[in-house]
Each structure stands twice: as C-alpha cells, then as structure tokens.
Amino acid sequence: MISPEHAGILIMLVGIYGLMAKREPIKLVLSINIVSLGLVLFFIGLAYSPEKDVPIMPTDPVDPLPATLMLTTLVVDVAITSLALAVIMRMEGDGE
C-alpha cells in the first residue's frame, strides 16, 4: 500500500508536469492547485500517527499544528485560485 507521503509526492509531480507541459492559463492555475494539494497531503501524511489520541483531553495527543496549518493553506489556495481565475477572465475579456 502506498503511504500518504508518497502519494503526495506523486500528486506534486503530476502538477509540476502540468506546469511544464501546458501553456493555457486556466490549466496552469489548475496545475498549481494540484501541486498545492499534493503538498498538503504530504505534510498531513507526515503528521499522521495511528497510535496517538485526538487532541481533546488525551493522555498521548497528536500534534494539531500541522492539520491547522494545512487547513489555512487550503483556504489561502482557494482565495488565490479565485483571484487568478478572475484575472484570467479579465484578460480574455479585454481582447474583444
């Protein structure tokens, strides 16, 4: 079975390939999103520990910081994607 770290690296490589192979702006934005999601999966996979407890009143808690940082990363990624797509739509509309 493949580990989350290896899956994250493979997803990042797919996104990097998309960045190198495609020239359409929307496909470039989607490739950047794929790289970002691969990075999130990689870091969440590194922080996963099956023998630890949830961080609410535990005896041996897992560190909640990586999950918190990756959730923030996803929110920022959505904001940047929407801004990039709005700029792309604006550039396409100015050509008429």
Side-chain angles (χ1 to χ4, degrees), residues 24-61:
E24 295 85 11
I26 292 179
K27 290 183 181 177
L28 290 174
V29 171
L30 292 176
S31 296
I32 291 171
N33 279 342
I34 291 171
V35 170
S36 174
L37 291 176
L39 185 69
V40 167
L41 180 60
F42 177 75
F43 280 122
I44 292 294
L46 283 178
Y48 175 71
S49 181
E51 60 269 356
K52 300 267 187 172
D53 291 333
V54 295
I56 301 173
M57 303 286 290
T59 56
D60 188 22

Side-chain angles (χ1 to χ4, degrees), residues 25-26 29-30 33 77-95:
I26 292 179
V29 171
L30 292 176
N33 279 342
D77 190 37
V78 167
I80 290 173
T81 301
S82 64
L83 178 67
L85 291 175
V87 168
I88 290 169
M89 287 176 56
R90 181 71 178 213
M91 287 180 356
E92 303 258 334
D94 286 345

